[in-house]
Amino acid sequence: MKLVIHLLGAVVLVCFAVQTCARAIGGTPKLWIKDSTQKPLQDIVTWDENSLFVRGERIFFFSGEFHPFRLPVPSLYLDVFQKIKALGFNGVSFYIHWALLEGKPGEFSAEGVFSLEPFFEAATKAGIYLLARPGPYINAEVSGGGFPGWLQRVNGTLRTRDPEYLHATDLYAKSVGEIIAKAQITNGGPIILVQPENEYTGATSDIHPFPDPVYMQYVEDQLKDAGIIVPLISNDASASGDNAPGQPAAVDIYGHDGYPLGFDCANPYTWPDGDLPTTWRSLHLQQSPNTPYSIVEFQGGSFDPWGGLGFEQCSVLLNNEFERVFYKNDYSFGVAIFNIYMIFGGTNWGNLGHPGGYTSYDYGSSITEERLVTREKYSELKLEANFFKVSPAYLVAERGYASNSTWTSSTALTVTPAFANSTAFYFVRHAAYNSLESTSYKLNVQTSRGNFSVPQLGGSLTLNGRDSKIHVSDYDVGGLNILYSTAEVFTWKKYDSKTILIVYGGPSETHEIAFQGSTATLVEGSGPKISKKKDYTIVNWEVSSDRKIVKVNSDVFIYLLDRNSAYDYWVVDQALHNASNSVIVNAGYLVRSATVKGNTLALVGDFNATTTIEVIGGAPKSLAKLTINGHSTPFRKDKLGVYTAIVTIEKPNINIPDLSKLKWKYLDSLPELQSTYSDASWTSADLKTTYNTHRPLTTPTSLYSSDYGYHTGTLLYRGHFTATGAEDTLFLWTQGGSASGTSAFLNSTFLGSWAGTDVATNANSTFTLPNLVAGKPYVLTVVIDNMGLDEDWTVGTELMKNPRGILNYAVSGREQSAIAWKLTGNLGGEDYADRSRGPLNEGGTFAERQGFHLPGAPFEAWEDSAGPTAGIAAAGIGFFATAFELDLPAGYDIPLSFAFTNSSDDASGRATAYRAQLFVNGWQYGKYVHNVGPQTRFPVPEGILDYKGTNYVAVSLWALEEGGAKVEGLELVVDAVVETGYGGVETVKGDTWTKRKGAY
Ligand code: GAL
């Protein structure tokens, strides 16, 4: 190793290992460490130590993570963006999954559902700014952590400066970089931030140096060379300060992530001691004092592994209380770039996930996999995000110190203040953050009218268990100074004719608000004490579901709500990035848009029940016409000038087929067991060495599927040999990732299976062979489920290169070399057949190789069958197909799922081992492992299902036991019926079946 430092003006080139550098520089790659000046390359997106600015306007980038590749229905992007925008967010962060875009090295393709432009267009339409995160490594619970399978063949350590690895990333980085660059805000697009790499934070001890500035700079330069000029932001896996400004290979804005409650949804009510971050603010000041405090991913839910407990349980662990306590703690640190991972998880359709997860990627997040906004955590988040939209002082406030005594009367509480001129924010939580106590307290506020211990008019404040509050003082509401409010502010808006302020509290809490208005009268509800002091007025009340409205002076209306009622209120901006004329509506389930034109107000929203709508503010002064989802709706005006209308919901008739009554067809999908089957066209496993640098071969030729271009789905092996008669057993060591399974056959005889467990990533199996006849040829058929490729979180572990397939084998009494192996995965391997659904959607079973999962397959010619519930009588793979019409009413969002029945099969609770794949119009939208679980219900979005046409559905059934298997039950179920103003969803056009040349 030699260290060469070459000075080129301000540019420093550092090479450890000269040959490495020379080789890398020979091609396009440059190994430069640039002088980092931290000057923006454009002037639209800028920043200071407090926040970002867009076109000179200071913004809190409040964002949620949403992956387009997990919702392959481009016409639904806008739906999700609108639901995110309706939270009061202005941002979305998204990853790009390289493995889907470069299935074969050198062939980049981002077309059809993989095209990013529709995502950008929808973001623009919704008024959402984007943070683009192209990796190349993303983690994200996707196969290979984003790395295409062919990276298993790279002779170099992944995520390091090894030139082969760097070169492997070049085409992707350039191609995707250019796509991102075109959509930057500087070109009129929605992208304002780009993140190179992801959590480039941990490495094994043999990786020197680490973090390697040469590598990180390379990734940054790839993006810059592709034309990216918006700020680069990092996502350190912990607040370690890596690549922060001032460090080598600095990004523009330093950021880190945090998942404080972890990913174990087993005990959703347990919040372990000490899991609340407390040092992040001070670390930030040490590590990156000149950039906005940025949490580029903060826990919004959890992933869930095979055998896990299901996402409903994760949504309980990471629920509204979690948001209150943990997010408010982040605000107390002054977070100004804040991305919730995930806000909408979506689906690991078509094998895109890693083996640590199943088909659903619901994530227990605020928006469910079915795109519903029914979880309370969605509503809670809306209350929080809206507060910051109307509290500009938050972004410039100086952060004070957490204290257990200065600000409250109770030492059981910790209060962190923040001050901006006179305005103060008090972030209150239990000192023992996980306390379930109900703690009474008084708050010591410092105001321009003196210091008070509040409430002043009696009673005390309460923090009920897992809650946290943001109290304010000297808080400006459009010219009215709120001296203090213990009730939390949801929103306020000053209109020409009136000002609306909405505050809320938890059930039965006492709250107090004081303001410098001259008169205050109760105009709705009952109960509050109102007391006039010398130059301010105090209102004190007990929170109940009975709304109270206090009128201050002649034109300010303060709505005192309980939290549950506040959940139904929406603040709808009319302009994309401007809240000056937003409309405030009390409208239940969802409001997507509000448009005032002359004397008309047009509301667009979704209703899951008959709803009384109140337009609290922002309607034209003399409203002449109100339309709701395009329908003119009668309304009346009450004495406060609020317009009310009723949306009556009649649930439509929904006819969906009973799958068990349909005509099904059946095809044997393991014809390999028949003596007539020829594997002449299969790939010979003849590589004497492997390309894989991670695991040396223990077989005479490589049986690693990625050596031969097979990276996804079911793998099949055929081992030919001529018997000596001495063979007794077959030993197999197979690896497919967590919950994988293996079945082995000799000719048509079933030898046995490894059924799989949640944790086992690989298995040793020994099968007894029948008596073999000396001199006769035999063939072994081995089926292995590839559950996806492992991630590569820690640099140097090379876990992504964990091979799939047969790691070792032995036929007793024989040399290994007596067996000649062939293998197959998906037809064509890296030259995959179905361009429209990408490189991962289909695996290697016969029906898939033939494309029989695609619409248009010649299934009518197959055997009649009662369907997957009829099952198959012996170990093997069956393929069942049917078609049905849907004609669902327009104007409704009707999410549907395919639900497998799973009652334990026998009294002992032992579940028959079988695996099913669900194909809907060609898209693999479910991988069901009956003996592992947990997922049984597979949501399939409109757009994949054609709601006004024919749907082709196929189920593959791999029975791993002697006696075969039956699917216990399979139903199409309606998950919700929501009347929507969203508009039509286009059915995605994927390739249809044509006879595949050379398919075997
Ligand atoms: C983060 C990572 C994400 C995702 C997340 C867990 O550490 O950056 O990609 O894997 O963890 O869901």
Side-chain angles (χ1 to χ4, degrees), residues 312 365-368 370-379 589 608 975-976 978:
E312 278 319 310
S365 44
S366 286
I367 305 174
T368 70
E370 301 81 8
R371 295 172 293 98
L372 297 173
V373 294
T374 37
R375 288 185 178 142
E376 185 172 350
K377 59 187 294 191
Y378 178 87
S379 304
Y589 185 74
N608 61 357
D975 294 321
V978 180

Side-chain angles (χ1 to χ4, degrees), residues 65 67 95 133 137-142 195 198-199 235-237 257-259 263 297 301-303 341-342 361 363 791 793:
E65 184 84 11
H67 301 148
Y95 280 134
R133 310 201 298 154
Y137 184 72
I138 60 171
N139 211 59
E141 289 76 71
V142 294
Q195 180 198 301
N198 185 62
E199 296 190 323
N235 181 35
D236 220 349
D257 64 21
Y259 291 81
F263 307 102
E297 288 175 24
S302 172
F303 52 75
Y341 188 104
M342 303 290 299
Y361 196 67
Y363 215 78
E791 293 177 321
W793 197 80

Side-chain angles (χ1 to χ4, degrees), residues 401-628:
Y401 292 100
S403 162
N404 293 34
S405 55
T406 314
W407 308 101
T408 68
S409 57
S410 170
T411 52
L413 300 180
T414 297
V415 181
T416 309
F419 310 96
N421 299 317
S422 57
T423 302
F425 301 87
Y426 310 84
F427 299 91
V428 181
R429 61 168 170 86
H430 272 116
Y433 87 100
N434 49 2
S435 168
L436 293 167
E437 298 296 307
S438 180
T439 304
S440 298
Y441 65 106
K442 294 225 168 199
L443 180 74
N444 304 325
V445 292
Q446 286 179 354
T447 80
S448 52
R449 290 290 172 278
N451 299 343
F452 306 108
S453 168
V454 300
Q456 302 190 68
L457 298 186
S460 51
L461 307 176
T462 346
L463 193 71
N464 276 310
R466 290 171 178 173
D467 194 3
S468 169
K469 303 216 173 269
I470 310 173
H471 305 306
V472 293
S473 63
D474 277 312
Y475 179 90
D476 175 57
V477 169
L480 177 75
N481 185 34
I482 303 297
L483 212 49
Y484 60 81
S485 175
T486 68
E488 293 186 87
V489 173
F490 167 52
T491 192
W492 64 265
K493 199 103 297 182
K494 187 178 170 63
Y495 299 104
D496 286 346
S497 56
K498 61 178 175 185
T499 297
I500 303 288
L501 165 65
I502 300 177
V503 300
Y504 64 94
S508 304
E509 290 169 1
T510 294
H511 280 292
E512 201 167 271
I513 186 167
F515 40 82
Q516 290 174 268
S518 51
T519 60
T521 46
L522 187 68
V523 293
E524 186 180 304
S526 60
K529 290 180 225 163
I530 301 183
S531 169
K532 180 102 190 64
K533 299 287 169 187
K534 195 166 139 254
D535 57 354
Y536 67 95
T537 303
I538 309 177
V539 178
N540 175 301
W541 74 100
E542 189 181 313
V543 175
S544 73
S545 57
D546 227 19
R547 179 168 77 182
K548 302 157 210 350
I549 304 175
V550 176
K551 184 175 175 185
V552 182
N553 301 335
S554 59
D555 60 348
V556 181
F557 296 86
I558 307 182
Y559 284 65
L560 312 177
L561 304 181
D562 70 316
R563 193 163 45 218
N564 278 344
S565 304
Y567 286 160
D568 287 340
Y569 286 60
W570 302 86
V571 185
V572 197
D573 297 345
Q574 293 193 59
L576 291 182
H577 292 289
N578 181 333
S580 63
N581 58 357
S582 359
V583 178
I584 303 176
V585 218
N586 175 14
Y589 185 74
L590 173 71
V591 181
R592 294 172 184 271
S593 72
T595 317
V596 173
K597 261 203 201 114
N599 286 333
T600 301
L601 170 63
L603 293 177
V604 176
D606 291 21
F607 303 93
N608 61 357
T610 292
T611 307
T612 300
I613 291 184
E614 292 181 299
V615 184
I616 309 286
K621 212 168 174 179
S622 46
L623 182 67
K625 189 173 176 191
L626 172 68
T627 67
I628 297 176

Side-chain angles (χ1 to χ4, degrees), residues 723-783:
T724 60
E727 302 86 353
D728 291 324
T729 58
L730 166 68
F731 163 77
L732 285 177
W733 182 6
T734 53
Q735 177 160 280
S738 308
S740 171
T742 299
S743 290
F745 304 83
L746 179 78
N747 294 348
S748 59
T749 307
F750 176 56
L751 297 176
S753 291
W754 160 250
T757 67
D758 48 2
V759 288
T761 61
N762 62 90
N764 291 311
S765 317
T766 303
F767 306 110
T768 306
L769 298 172
N771 289 333
L772 306 192
V773 180
K776 271 193 77 177
Y778 288 89
V779 58
L780 295 164
T781 297
V782 179
V783 187

